[in-house]
Structure formats: C-alpha cells, structure tokens
Amino acid sequence: MNISTYTVKPKLPLPLKPLEEIANNLWLSWNFDAVQLFIRLDYDVWCQSQQSPVRTLGMVSQERLAEAAADDSYLAALKEVYDRFERYKKGETWYKGSRKDVVAYFSMEYGMDVSLPIYSGGLGILSGDHMKTASDMGLPLVGIGLLYRQGYFMQYLNADGFQQESYPENDWYNMPVELKTGKDGNPVKISVDLAGRQAAAQIWEVKVGRSSLYLLDTNINENAPDIRNVTAALYGGDKETRIQQEILLGIGGIRALRALGINPAATHMNEGHSAFLGLERARELMAEKGFGFEEAREAVWPTNIFTTHTPVPAGNERFDITLMEKYFRAWPQILGISWKEFLGLGRIYPNDDHETFCLTVLALKFAAYANGVARLHGVVSRDMWKGLWPGLPLDEVPIHHVTNGVHPRTWVSSGMTELLDRYFGPHFEEEPTDLAIWDRMDRISDEELWRTHERRRERLVAFARERIREHHKRTGAVERRIRQAEDALSPYALTLCFARRFATYKRGNLLLRDPERLLRLVKDNERPVQLIFAGKAHPNDMPGKDLIRDIIHFAEKYDVTSRIVFIENYDMTVARYLTSGGDVWLNTPRRPMEASGTSGMKAAMNGVLNCSIMDGWWDEAYNPEVGWAIGHGEQYEDDQLQDDVESKALYDLLERDIIPLFYQRGRDGLPREWIKRMKTCMREIGHSMSSHRMLIDYSNQFYLPALENYRRIAADDYGEPKSLAAYFNTLRQSWDNLKIVKLESNAKPVMDRGDSLTVTAHIELGPISPEGLQVELYHGSVSNQSRLITNARRAEMKATGQEGNAWLFQVEIECTATGFQGHTVRILPKHPALIHPYRTGFIKWA
C-alpha cells in the first residue's frame, strides 16, 4: 500500500501563538500557571489528551480557540506566563562560564512530564530532574537518550488484583519533541553497526527550559523491521535487544552529537547503559589524531564521569562472551588491541576467561570520576567494586558519592508552591541555588501550612476515588461496588502512602505481616488510619506481582477496602498526588539495597513526614525532628527474622509515636507538634536534598574539573595523554621488578606523644625515576582484632639519595595519636596529568 504522509499542525489565532512555544518546552512541567493555560482552554480535552499540552492544542475546537483569543482575561494570563518564560530563558544563572564545550549526559530513560512517557521509575525521574536543574543553573549540559515508541508499560489490575500490562504507541507528532533536520530539510541521521548490519537513527530534540535533550529513534523505513524495533520499548525484549539499545545509546549518542555540531567535551554516564561511549570516544581520537589505544584512552579518562545506581551485583548489566563476540568482534582491530585485551576492559579480572563482560566495569575503567548516589551507597559501591583496585584500602577506592536530589518546583504541589512563593519571596524562583531560602519556613503560620496540606489530602482522596471507580467499571464490577468508591478513604484520616516499584526487596507487604495489629489501626474510628499503595512490578517479576495481589486480597478479605487502596498505573501524575497529599511516607527496603530513593524527598518537601528503614538517602538525612527511623541501620542474614523485627518496630512507631502525634490537637484543632515537624522537615530536606544542591556538587566535583581537563589537554595538543600513556607503558613493564627492599625507622617499643618518627625506605626502582613514583608512609592505629591499620594517615616520602641499587625515601612525622600504632610504606603512580593515583594493578606495599 502506497501511503503519502504529511503533518497537520494546530491552527492558532495570532494572539495565542505563544501557546505553541510554551507547549513545546518542558519548562511548563514545573510551572503550574503555564499548565493552567491549557486546562482553561478546555478541561475535558485536557483530560482526554492525557495532560499533554501539545495534543490539547490539536484537540481543542477552532471555535474555542477563537473565544480564547478574544478573552482579555485569558490573554492577560498568557502574557504574564510568556513574559516570565522569556525572562527565565534570558536571566542570569549560577553558571557563567564558556558554553562552547558541553557535558553530555547519557541516560536510558528520562521522566520529565507525564506527556512524554519515556521513563519507568526512579532512574528516569532523576534524569528528568537533572535536566531541569541544569536548565535552572544554566549549565552547558545536553542530554542523550532513546525515543521509545511504546515507552514503559501501562499497568492495570484484573478483577483478581493481578497486574496486567499494555503498551500504547506514542504519537511523537503530538508530543513535545521536534525532529532535527539539516540544511537540506531532511532528518539528521547517524548509524551504528549492529552485528554487521547498519542501523540508522534519526534524532529528536526535547526543549527543557534553556537546555536540550536529544533522543535517537530507529523506527524509520530504511531499517529492517527488527532494527526498527530497537527503540520500540524501554527495558523490553531480551539481552540482545538490550545490547543493541546500549550500543545505540553510547556509540550512537556520541555520533548524534557530532552530527548536530555539538562537542561532547565531557560525558556523564548515568548508570552503565551508555558505557560503550568510552570505546567510541577513543575510536574518534585514534582516527582523528593517529593515537594508539592507550593514548586515546588517557585522553578520554579525565573527561568521563560515571554514576552507579545499583547496590547489588546482579543489577549491573552483563553480557556473555558469545553475545559480545557477535556485536564487537571487529572492535579490537579498530582499537589496535587483542580480543582478550578488549574483553578485559569489561572484566574485574581480565585474565579470567569465564567472567562475563560488565558495563559497570567498562564505565569505571574509562572514567576518572565515579560516584554512588547516597553516602551509604558510596560505601556499598566501594565494597562491591574493590576488586578493580586490588590492594587498595576500601576507603580509598575511587568511587565517591553525590546524594540524589529532587527538583522542588516540579514536585512541590502548586498550592504549596504558591504558599512558599508568598513567604520566601521572588528569590525562591529566581535564584534556586540559594538553598538558605528554606530557612524562611518559620515565617509561615501553622494555620496556613496545615490548611494547604489538608487541601492536598482532600484532592488526593478525590483522585483516588476516581481511579478506584474507573478500575471497577473496567473490570465489570456491579453498580453497588462502583458506588462504594465514593466512600473509599477519608479526607480527614491519617494517610500513609507507599509508592514505588514493587520488587520483593522493597517489602511492600511488610505492614500486612501482623493482620490483627494492622486491622486495629485501620478500623479505629476515633483515630482512623488509611493506607494508599501504588507501584508497578516488572512484567517478568512474578513475586513482585504477587505482592500487589496480596494487598488487594488483604483489603477484600478483611473488608477494609475503604481504608486500604491500591492506585493503578503509578506515574508522575499519581506520584504528585501521593507525595503532596499523604501524611506519612513509608519506605521499607532491605538495607542496604536501596541505592538512594527520591520519592521520600519529594514527600518531605511537601511537608509529608517519612517513616523509613535507615537506607539510601534517609540514612544520612534522618533526625528525630524530620520523621521516624525503623530500626537503627541493622543488617540481617535471616530475611524472615528481619521482617519480623522490622514489622514490629513499624507497628510500634505507628501505635506509640505517629498516630498519637497526628491526633494530638489543640483547641483550634491544629496538630501543632506535627506541624512543627513538617516545618523542620521542609526546611532541612529542602536545603539538603534539592536537585540544585546535587548539581552544584556534580559541577564542583566533576563537571567543571572535567571541562577544564578537556580544555587543558586540547590546548596542549594532547601532550598530556601522550605523556601519560608512555609513562604507564614504562610502569607496566617495570612494575613487577619494583622492590621495597628494606624499611628502617627510629621507632622504639614505647614512644611519647610529640616524639619524632623518621622512616626510611630502600627501594629498587629499575628504569623508573624517583619523580615518577608516589612513595607514602601509611600509618595509624592498629586494630587488635585484624592487626591492620585503621584511621590511616598518609605522608609523602621524599627521595634523599641512592645506596647501591636502591633509592632512599624518607619522611619525618610527629607522634600525635596515642595507643597501639603502626606504619608501613606503599608505592603508587605519580604523574602531573593524573587526576588521582589509583589505577588498577598499580599499588605496591612493603
């Protein structure tokens, strides 16, 4: 069938033209007054469009558009919003440096607005907040991802409460994306090799305030049907689909930026999915500069940033060698290395032929900067990947942490934002990096804060009732059951919310463990408690689906469906209602399996108090004035014992602390002590868990140094990486012959505090110069149990001369700490171009 295609655009009257620009920029996703412009056009159409501004403009009748164009009230509101949009784009920002070179941020998913469903959960929401915050701060950052034809699945429950999935097709021509075209008007395209076949991809742009996100799409006619399906679904298909998507993201993403004339001077791999970009960046330099692989790798290493989000080994992407050979067999020849050396780039132990190829390992080996996403997760990650740096003390493994944050104006409800704007002043919107603004929480009266929160709870209850009613209608429930939805929940009861991915380690059923105790709480008419659950299980996760069904069955079995409800299809819309309308946010993962978590941060910024296991972000944010901790950070070998202990601890908190505090009311009906905690929570979490704090951390620790590294290397015509590659080539050949022959010191069995300790190391260097090594005295308290040095301190030792074949390195320190002390000597690489000296396989101890 020969079909001619064309695009039909909305025909807007001239006075309404600014609506088109606003609709096509996701700035509106964190500016509710902009969203209201589309709601005012036609509320029914807005709902039918699934809250899509672009689609709304195409669905509203021409008669209604003409009415709006003649409505001076509407036009005044439009002018006010558009003027603010223009001021935002042109305003001063936190970053004031050069924009010639950019940081390219790679992520498998982006959750920025419900109208662009290319996200599944926490990773995507974080990426969306990252892009919005980069826009606020004016950072030279662009995003790279994939444009999924179906996105992630939509969830619905059957009559038995079992999760089902549907995969609606996305209509890109009615969404806030724009196809990038060249000067000839044709789409800009790139191609990547997929097992000997060329896969072409076109590029779409999403405008995010001042920033841009570029998405690759293989669903074009010139590709074979299976290649067109590479970007069909997020996290769909098998391992082969995953490797195809990750080749397209990492390798194709770099090529897409080049095709658009954008120079990715530094790259940020958000999780390991994009790790193949390191290979592509090295290949580019080899082709352009005539470098060898090690020279190219040393040039890329100082400009790569990698963030790991996974606290368990099984969660990291691995491919078996057969699949790697199918897709990458030509790459060793391209890079000028052997097949074994190539596979070693993705292995902890390069000589282990049975080890699979891990993208996290590849990313860590190509990035000078690496981090986990919370303080505890940094500890967990260092322990998980310590095998890459054998012999290096755990606290020195070069994986740091930047705790996640959330974008306040996206997640704080519109009503609460209006309240904060009124008391915080224009500074709150105009300078979002001034986090001290949250100290103004005490300016807000208890009455206003509580009434604002109560209105959000009322809206949550109304929203939940509508969703329950829709579910009953769809599953063919009798009319009596449909009418019962009107009685579901109470707008006045203490509301506990649990909303997240339904994986077994998150323990969504922990509160169901003692039915008798839970039923006493939810059936108490004097101090009522109600629970709202939401969340998706992965389509292949049957135990996760069973957790959802268990909750449904529990409510029906004990006739508490009006007090325990499950809201289908957890997405950004559902999340906004829950995180702003609940009273307590529950989080019950098995520590330390929650890398960070951000839903609790969103709730906290709305004044919703957290009750959580000490895991992820809560491990560092908790104090008794902002919420409740379940346990004290214990870890268990026995899962059943852990569930028993922590479920009882949760019931105790509810019965003894949370419920009494909520219902402790004064003569005016206000829970003053509860409100006091709300204010403290909003102040402290707003200050510490804002995405602006997160991006300031990323910028100061990683982005700005990486961009400076790039400029310095490029200005020197890549002299640094050439020198560094030659240095490590010499070091590699000589390392095994490097010997610490002897240690001498003036240490006595008992030393007095203040005494001087002189240590001399005799080291045979071979062809290595003394300036090419970092020789350190490693000293501190000695553990009585392990006999290892703890709380270690390091002092650099200087070369003082030669004695025979050995060089003498010496240092003098003062004995400042008392107790059982010890010291030893170690050798690390030393080169002016090194970002840090911790390179795999290069540490030697006495």
Side-chain angles (χ1 to χ4, degrees), residues 488 724 785:
L724 200 54
Q785 181 177 359

Side-chain angles (χ1 to χ4, degrees), residues 15 372 529 740:
V529 176
I740 303 175

Side-chain angles (χ1 to χ4, degrees), residues 663-715:
Y663 286 105
Q664 179 186 320
R665 307 294 171 103
R667 290 183 178 180
D668 55 6
L670 296 179
R672 297 279 181 180
E673 287 301 313
W674 187 277
I675 295 169
K676 180 181 177 183
R677 289 200 185 198
M678 287 176 65
K679 288 184 175 182
T680 303
C681 175
M682 293 175 73
R683 180 175 62 248
E684 295 197 9
I685 303 307
H687 187 279
S688 64
M689 296 299 160
S690 162
S691 56
H692 298 91
R693 185 274 310 152
M694 176 181 74
L695 262 291
I696 290 171
D697 287 349
Y698 271 113
S699 297
N700 289 333
Q701 295 180 40
F702 305 143
Y703 291 166
L704 301 183
L707 288 172
E708 177 56 32
N709 293 340
Y710 170 81
R711 293 173 187 132
R712 188 183 64 254
I713 289 169

Side-chain angles (χ1 to χ4, degrees), residues 156-164 471-472 474-477 481 549 552-553 556 568:
Y156 63 96
L157 305 184
N158 64 19
D160 189 43
F162 193 75
Q163 174 182 295
Q164 308 285 297
H471 166 75
H472 288 331
R474 183 177 44 76
T475 55
R481 185 74 184 273
R549 185 163 55 180
I552 305 296
H553 285 189
E556 292 177 347
E568 294 172 302

